[in-house]
Amino acid sequence: MRFGRVSKAVGAAAVTMLVLSGCTAAPGPVSTSASASGAVSGGTAVVAETNAFNSFNPNTGTGSADINSKIAYATHTGFNYIDDKLNIVKNEKFGKYEKISDNPLTIRYTINDGVKWSDGAPVDANDLMLAWAAQSGYYNDATMDKEGNVLAGNHYFEFGGDTAGLAMTELPEIGDNGRSLTLKYTKPFADWEVAFGSPVDVPAHAVAQKAGLKDAAALSSLLKTVPKGNPDEPVTPNADLRKVAEYWNTGFDTKTMPTDTSVFLSNGPYIVTGIVPDQSLTLSRNTDYKWGPAASLDSITVRFIADASAQVAALKNQEADIIAPQPAADSAVQLKAMAGQGVSFNQFDQLSYDHLDLNFTGVFADQNVREAFLKTVPRQDLVNKIIQKLDAGAKPLESQVFLPAQPKYADSIKNNGSAAFVDVDIEGAKRLLNGATPTVRIMYSKANSNRADAFTLIKDAAAKAGFNVVDGGLGADWNTHLGDGSYDAAIFGWNSPGVGVSQIPQLFRSGSVSNYNKFSNADADKLMDQLIVTDDMGKQADLLIQLDKIIWSSDYGLPLFQPPGVVAYSSAVTGIKPMAGQTGVWWNYWQWARK
Amino acid sequence: MVTYLVRRVSAAVLILLGASFVVYLLTAASGDPLQELRSSTSANRPQLIAQRTELLHLNVPAPLRYFIWLRGAAGCLVPFAGSCDLGKNLQGQPVTEQLGTAMVQTLSLVSAAALLAVVIGVTLGIVTALRRHSALDYGVTFLAFLFFSLPVFWAAVLLKEYGAIGFNNFLSSPRIPAAAVLLIAAVVCAVAALGAGGGVRRRMVAGGSAGAATAAVLTYVSAADWFSAPGLGPVAIALSGAGAAFGFTALTAGLHNTRALYAAFAAAATGVASYFAVQGLLDRATPLMIMLLAAATILAAVLIGFLLGGDDRRGNITAASLTGLLVGLVILIDRFMQAWPAYFSDSRIHGRPIATIGAATPGLEGDLWVTGLDRMTHLLLPTAALVLISIASYTRYARSSMLDVMNMDYVRTARAKGLPEFTVVLRHAFRNALMPLTTIAAVDIGGLIGGAVITESVFSYRGMGSMFVDGLRQVDPNPVMAFFVVVAITALACNLLADLVYAALDPRVKVGA
């Protein structure tokens, strides 16, 4: 009766288990009611974002995804922010900055008393000092080859943004009892106002502690003692600074909620209180915060939804309150259909734009050929067929240096000569060609359907005037061919930052890295040299208007269109305004409210 | 057996090494990870390129880089050593970390879908086999192929529109109009009449009673506002217990075995009695406690089966345990239903429980039942989409396998010795018809883990599929490799497992050394 014995034992075990299960579970202190999640006074809103969060330091190369910058923007404050009209708005409750001198350009940043991190430590000049050290590349003495391999020397902070401005600064001075920082530029710099200090998003005291230093002041003294890097004479790397930089580079990268609170210190209206990797992130009110615009919502939940139509369905099912999906014709149609049913819907022009550039070499070295070709480009037709599916009111872009969102756009297009290219002029093109049938190879990305469509339309129109257009469309590696001379014209896109002017010489100055079509004009160069050292907005605009005219009259190429952006939100939330810049719809998150 | 295993495993390792080398080279050739940086306009472009070159060892030629990767991957073979290194993705995050979260997401999505697809697909397959060439057979075949050929993204859009948005609208005032009640009852009536088989009279009775029952239930549900505060109650639990007792006894021991039937009924009765006993306990439930209760259920069933004695104690025990577990499951479902009003009215749900995206409502707080409901409402649509598309193959395989078996000599023998048709189908034919399906199920689960790419994308699940696709799109080699390794290992392991299980189930098959 072996079976019997086993079964008896099993039976006895069953009784024990029953008792056991009663014992283990009964004292369990698990909350029984769902009332813990009851209503909250300021309410909450759910925002859908395309990319998933992965770093609390959006300044590094690896952490520079748009979503990390948006979270940093919601949890930190700075000296200014950029509004939906692309104006710089100062936040004097946080601190103030003033230009002390024009020559040399000297700016003093002062943070107000009482501004502090969420662990109680003050936000002060040490934080600014660290930000400057990282963003200026002051200590680097590395020499690199074209592929970016370090040949000699040392590279500390892996800053992912543009170092152009702060690279021209000297070692800053800390003053006012550690509350102010004075930056001195060796050369005048037009965009100084947006180059630094907004937001202040990396806590120096936390970095110092992680790098084994006593406190933030010790970190600042370290930064003062390490000499400026000189790539011609690389020195042994400073071990302490190496540790600081390494923590700055990688210590803030995480996809999960850190147990160490010093990783996600806040000095802004919200603080991160929960992360579900690749799914969602929760922002809750930072109760100490009073040095800037007051936020209305108690909490904001960010959900990461990559698929545009999934965002639309989520909005419709009230799982998301605010969405800004990648614009696609079908989701725009869906959103329009929902507009009456508790959903508001805005379209706006993005800061990126597609354009056609002609090489100033080869067949297009002759300005008549350039002009003839540009006369055949059916820009209105391109907009009608490509962009109006998304945005019925879209118009061709008429300026090479301004976007329609900028106030001087309208003034500039009146006299920049763009009027001559509004309508297709096949006869005029034929006259200029005088019987010639030049062969033109156009390069574009085949993967981008907008550009492939644009190519087809341009090809058909140019053929009417006698141009023999060759399809130079390329696959995913198209952009490695920019500027290599394998084509005569290119259709591609630029992203404009919307604020500042330092990107202009990058595109149009003789010999500049991103001047792929070898445009060179002495007058234009002179204007841009002036532009980059002019910080008066009015004078900048004057220079840009002159520049726009020179570029158009050189038959440089044509700006084509801006793909529209889309923002839609539930009528249960208010205060949402679309914005084309980097922060997008987040720019005024403190004004978001729940009805 | 051991020799066979060793041979199969070593072959699998060689296949894995060869395939991973080829895939690594293909991934490396698929694009340039530095491409987006080369076209960047920032002034420190060389440094950014240097960072990424160092991160991904791009200065080493791809065939050699494979061995750097392989050395890190080999560390994964050492358990708990923390030496597992599958490289980093473009954001500098270790791929092992990314893989961990992705696998959890995918497994939760795929396991329920696989189970449901097998259960529903096999049931439909068996029924259509028994009613071969009937209107029901043609209807089910038509629908199975229709769903099979539906593009999943389109099915997903339909599911979201009607299964989530439409159903949530319905839930805000859950009244079923009389016309809808009649329509649903008519459909159920037709299906039941077609499925019943036999003479016209039998069909009319089956169809009529099924239709009437459906109409009655729907009317009650609507009138009693059941959707606002759902529940089963002891009566429904007792009824399902009785049904389970009959069904499982018929399937395992046979209804002629009265001791087994008694055992099953005793288990069902104990279950219903414990329904009242465990309510207080369940209010403070933890996952561990549920598992312990399940273990206790089995042990109690074993006790009952043993005490009833007879010639076939094993039969008693199986029937009683399966019945007990089913009653336990029904009690759990009832408890989840009790939590529904609290979940429904939560401020983060605001009366729209069926979700279209993600795996959980962010920020939702509550006990096991509320969070469990939240998981279920999120899994509902993607699971339905996966089940719809994978049900067809199970239906077809089960149907043909059942037809094969029904023509076997031993089935004829069983009929000849006078067994009731019910016993012949369930005890003799059905169990044997399931065997070929083990192979298909094992391979299918391996495929599902890597194959839910589109479903994941439309429902915003960031699982294995999206890891793979994003990796390819961003020319990010390491996540692609991690995906490949996991899917390849799963496929190889599932194949091996299927062969072994088959040998264990079918005494005619021997695992050759």
Side-chain angles (χ1 to χ4, degrees):
Chain A
M1 285 298 280
R2 192 174 129 266
F3 190 65
R5 271 204 305 280
V6 170
S7 296
K8 271 177 202 154
V10 167
V15 176
T16 331
M17 276 301 238
L18 259 176
V19 175
L20 222 163
S21 70
C23 290
T24 43
V30 180
S31 137
T32 51
S33 76
S35 61
S37 54
V40 276
S41 58
T44 178
V46 182
V47 192
E49 282 286 337
T50 304
N51 296 318
F53 176 85
N54 62 18
S55 177
F56 283 102
N57 184 358
N59 304 299
T60 63
T62 50
S64 60
D66 63 335
I67 178 64
N68 298 338
S69 309
K70 287 169 182 169
I71 299 303
Y73 181 65
T75 52
H76 299 92
T77 336
F79 292 98
N80 59 32
Y81 62 89
I82 295 165
D83 73 4
D84 56 335
K85 303 282 184 292
L86 303 177
N87 298 315
I88 299 169
V89 183
K90 292 183 183 179
N91 173 15
E92 305 223 318
K93 286 184 192 163
F94 174 82
K96 60 180 193 296
Y97 54 93
E98 55 203 324
K99 183 156 60 168
I100 309 175
S101 143
D102 264 317
N103 192 17
L105 177 63
T106 310
I107 323 289
R108 181 161 63 216
Y109 295 87
T110 313
I111 298 176
N112 293 345
D113 262 330
V115 178
K116 53 188 182 189
W117 295 98
S118 46
D119 64 351
V123 178
D124 58 20
N126 298 318
D127 299 307
L128 295 178
M129 186 77 184
L130 176 64
W132 169 83
Q135 296 174 25
S136 63
Y138 183 83
Y139 304 101
N140 299 337
D141 55 12
T143 317
M144 303 201 187
D145 64 10
K146 209 180 157 209
E147 292 292 298
N149 297 314
V150 177
L151 300 177
N154 194 37
H155 190 79
Y156 292 98
F157 296 95
E158 289 170 359
F159 178 56
D162 191 354
T163 50
L166 290 180
M168 300 192 292
T169 51
E170 293 171 6
L171 185 69
E173 280 167 29
I174 292 179
D176 292 337
N177 262 338
R179 300 222 67 87
S180 83
L181 186 94
T182 308
L183 265 189
K184 201 184 278 180
Y185 287 83
T186 50
K187 279 182 238 163
F189 178 57
D191 295 345
W192 62 267
E193 205 170 347
V194 288
F196 186 65
S198 296
V200 179
D201 49 12
V202 179
H205 66 284
V207 175
Q209 197 197 10
K210 286 286 156 41
L213 299 171
K214 192 169 138 264
D215 54 12
L219 174 57
S220 290
S221 341
L222 171 73
L223 293 174
K224 274 180 218 159
T225 50
V226 179
K228 183 177 170 64
N230 180 358
D232 296 331
E233 292 169 31
V235 294
T236 333
N238 180 300
D240 284 339
L241 185 59
R242 187 77 257 169
K243 270 190 223 153
V244 169
E246 261 158 27
Y247 187 73
W248 191 90
N249 292 338
T250 59
F252 295 94
D253 293 352
T254 177
K255 286 201 137 188
T256 52
M257 189 70 193
T259 44
D260 176 0
T261 54
S262 74
V263 176
F264 58 97
L265 292 179
S266 153
N267 63 23
Y270 292 100
I271 181 164
V272 176
T273 49
I275 304 176
V276 182
D278 291 328
Q279 291 282 331
S280 66
L281 180 147
T282 310
L283 296 165
S284 304
R285 206 186 271 284
N286 175 9
T287 43
D288 298 340
Y289 167 83
K290 52 183 184 294
W291 43 86
S296 155
L297 291 172
D298 281 333
S299 73
I300 299 174
T301 304
V302 188
R303 298 195 70 160
F304 311 127
I305 308 174
D307 184 69
S309 65
Q311 290 198 7
V312 175
L315 177 68
K316 198 171 180 185
N317 200 25
Q318 297 176 25
E319 285 168 87
D321 297 312
I322 304 167
I323 65 170
Q326 295 289 321
D330 55 344
S331 52
V333 172
Q334 277 178 297
L335 286 170
K336 267 179 207 153
M338 286 155 61
Q341 310 157 14
V343 167
S344 307
F345 168 62
N346 290 116
Q347 272 180 324
F348 61 96
D349 293 324
Q350 290 187 312
L351 288 179
S352 63
Y353 61 99
D354 281 14
H355 52 96
L356 168 76
D357 287 2
L358 307 182
N359 280 358
F360 280 68
T361 51
V363 62
F364 285 131
D366 179 355
Q367 181 159 11
N368 281 342
V369 181
R370 289 206 302 272
E371 191 181 343
F373 190 78
L374 296 185
K375 274 182 186 299
T376 68
V377 176
R379 289 197 302 148
Q380 187 62 51
D381 205 27
L382 292 182
V383 170
N384 292 349
K385 292 197 172 128
I386 299 170
I387 298 302
Q388 286 196 350
K389 283 184 289 190
L390 300 170
D391 176 9
K395 287 186 203 151
L397 191 59
E398 303 283 6
S399 165
Q400 296 274 15
V401 297
F402 292 108
L403 290 175
Q406 290 167 312
K408 291 290 175 185
Y409 175 81
D411 291 349
S412 187
I413 67 170
K414 268 182 227 149
N415 73 344
N416 64 5
S418 61
F421 299 96
V422 168
D423 297 313
V424 177
D425 180 7
I426 300 290
E427 290 313 309
K430 278 185 179 163
R431 269 199 303 281
L432 283 166
L433 285 178
N434 202 9
T437 56
T439 300
V440 175
R441 186 182 188 84
I442 302 184
M443 197 273 277
Y444 61 95
S445 160
K446 280 191 168 165
N448 184 321
S449 63
N450 283 355
R451 289 178 200 159
D453 291 349
F455 167 78
T456 313
L457 293 169
I458 289 173
K459 179 187 172 183
D460 293 348
K464 286 183 196 149
F467 282 99
N468 176 20
V469 177
V470 179
D471 185 345
L474 295 171
D477 63 339
W478 65 274
N479 48 8
T480 55
H481 293 272
L482 282 172
D484 71 355
S486 62
Y487 56 87
D488 303 302
I491 305 169
F492 64 108
W494 285 127
N495 256 320
S496 162
V499 182
V501 294
S502 34
Q503 77 279 8
I504 299 287
Q506 273 189 43
L507 307 185
F508 299 110
R509 204 176 186 293
S510 307
S512 155
V513 189
S514 303
N515 182 353
Y516 293 120
N517 60 345
K518 313 281 189 287
F519 167 73
S520 176
N521 181 303
D523 293 335
D525 286 351
K526 230 177 270 169
L527 285 173
M528 283 183 277
D529 286 344
Q530 248 175 294
L531 177 69
I532 197 71
V533 298
T534 306
D535 54 8
D536 181 281
M537 295 284 195
K539 281 185 196 149
Q540 278 182 5
D542 288 343
L543 291 168
L544 284 170
I545 289 174
Q546 292 176 47
L547 184 64
D548 202 11
K549 195 170 179 182
I550 294 178
I551 297 170
W552 277 91
S553 62
S554 315
D555 298 308
Y556 173 95
L558 289 172
L560 300 174
F561 48 75
Q562 288 173 282
V566 179
V567 168
Y569 48 95
S570 150
S571 48
V573 289
T574 57
I576 289 97
K577 282 186 201 155
M579 191 262 214
Q582 279 187 335
T583 45
V585 71
W586 284 86
W587 78 269
N588 68 337
Y589 62 87
W590 52 83
Q591 289 172 346
W592 297 351
R594 188 136 207 128
K595 266 186 204 161
Chain B
M1 175 77 180
V2 175
T3 338
Y4 174 78
L5 263 185
V6 169
R7 211 182 58 205
R8 282 289 296 265
V9 169
S10 44
V13 168
L14 286 180
I15 292 172
L16 202 57
L17 281 177
S20 63
F21 185 65
V22 172
V23 171
Y24 197 91
L25 293 190
L26 286 175
T27 316
S30 72
D32 178 8
L34 299 175
Q35 170 198 318
E36 56 166 330
L37 296 180
R38 288 193 214 278
S39 57
S40 123
T41 53
S42 63
N44 56 340
R45 180 168 61 180
Q47 285 123 52
L48 299 179
I49 291 179
Q51 279 168 33
R52 189 164 291 179
T53 304
E54 192 192 344
L55 185 73
L56 301 178
H57 306 288
L58 292 177
N59 44 1
V60 182
L64 297 178
R65 209 189 309 150
Y66 170 75
F67 291 98
I68 301 182
W69 175 84
L70 189 64
R71 191 178 55 201
C76 300
L77 296 176
V78 189
F80 310 116
S83 58
C84 193
D85 176 17
L86 291 173
K88 289 183 175 174
N89 63 11
L90 289 186
Q91 289 81 40
Q93 186 203 9
V95 169
T96 43
E97 198 178 286
Q98 195 187 4
L99 192 65
T101 53
M103 275 175 78
V104 170
Q105 294 268 328
T106 297
L107 285 180
S108 65
L109 182 64
V110 164
S111 46
L115 189 71
L116 280 175
V118 170
V119 170
I120 300 174
V122 168
T123 312
L124 284 176
I126 302 293
V127 170
T128 51
L130 294 176
R131 301 275 173 268
R132 181 156 61 134
H133 301 320
S134 67
L136 182 80
D137 185 16
Y138 293 131
V140 169
T141 308
F142 170 74
L143 285 180
F145 278 103
L146 179 73
F147 290 137
F148 181 67
S149 41
L150 269 190
V152 66
F153 57 87
W154 191 64
V157 168
L158 290 185
L159 279 172
K160 284 184 182 186
E161 189 62 39
Y162 299 104
I165 298 168
F167 189 65
N168 283 337
N169 290 343
F170 162 75
L171 284 179
S172 63
S173 63
R175 294 278 180 280
I176 310 172
V181 172
L182 285 180
L183 187 72
I184 297 170
V187 170
V188 172
C189 168
V191 171
L194 288 173
V200 176
R201 193 187 152 83
R202 186 178 150 164
R203 284 170 188 267
M204 279 177 67
V205 170
S209 50
T214 310
V217 167
L218 287 180
T219 314
Y220 168 76
V221 155
S222 175
D225 204 7
W226 187 83
F227 279 105
S228 302
L232 293 174
V235 177
I237 293 172
L239 282 177
S240 56
F246 268 115
F248 284 124
T249 313
L251 196 62
T252 57
L255 284 177
H256 61 89
N257 187 342
T258 42
R259 282 188 193 267
L261 191 61
Y262 291 154
F265 265 102
T270 318
V272 175
S274 68
Y275 166 76
F276 299 101
V278 296
Q279 287 304 312
L281 202 59
L282 287 182
D283 286 344
R284 280 166 297 181
T286 59
L288 177 71
M289 186 180 108
I290 307 262
M291 302 234 287
L292 288 175
L293 282 177
T297 309
I298 292 176
L299 291 172
V302 168
L303 195 67
I304 292 171
F306 178 75
L307 289 178
L308 271 168
D311 300 332
D312 182 14
R313 276 181 165 147
R314 184 181 282 258
N316 297 353
I317 289 171
T318 321
S321 329
L322 288 174
T323 309
L325 280 181
L326 192 112
V327 173
L329 185 69
V330 175
I331 293 175
L332 273 191
I333 293 173
D334 177 75
R335 185 58 187 81
F336 273 115
M337 285 178 167
Q338 292 175 30
W340 182 261
Y343 175 66
F344 189 78
S345 57
D346 189 281
S347 68
R348 289 189 183 267
I349 303 298
H350 38 75
R352 300 192 70 84
I354 310 296
T356 64
I357 43 159
T361 304
L364 180 82
E365 287 166 26
D367 57 13
L368 179 77
W369 309 106
V370 168
T371 51
L373 275 176
D374 191 52
R375 285 288 154 82
M376 288 184 216
T377 56
H378 280 81
L379 276 171
L380 188 68
L381 294 194
T383 304
L386 284 177
V387 168
L388 278 186
I389 52 170
S390 54
I391 215 170
S393 58
Y394 285 114
T395 312
R396 299 309 292 168
Y397 278 118
R399 180 177 179 274
S400 67
S401 159
M402 188 70 180
L403 285 176
D404 271 355
V405 172
M406 291 297 277
N407 287 328
M408 292 276 181
D409 286 346
Y410 68 83
V411 172
R412 197 177 311 141
T413 313
R415 283 194 179 129
K417 73 177 178 185
L419 289 178
E421 182 67 12
F422 183 70
T423 314
V424 174
V425 170
L426 273 187
R427 294 266 296 153
H428 295 254
F430 172 67
R431 289 167 54 149
N432 287 309
L434 283 182
M435 270 192 284
L437 287 169
T438 50
T439 317
I440 298 154
V443 173
D444 201 52
I445 289 167
L448 266 179
I449 287 183
V453 173
I454 302 170
T455 316
E456 279 180 16
S457 144
V458 284
F459 291 108
S460 264
Y461 263 74
R462 304 252 180 159
M464 302 284 294
S466 62
M467 188 172 112
F468 174 66
V469 171
D470 290 350
L472 276 187
R473 198 172 291 148
Q474 298 160 6
V475 202
D476 192 352
N478 287 329
V480 176
M481 285 311 292
F483 168 85
F484 166 77
V485 167
V486 170
V487 172
I489 291 178
T490 323
L492 290 170
C494 280
N495 268 320
L496 181 59
L497 200 69
D499 289 352
L500 294 178
V501 168
Y502 203 94
L505 286 180
D506 188 342
R508 288 168 304 175
V509 177
K510 274 218 171 77
V511 168

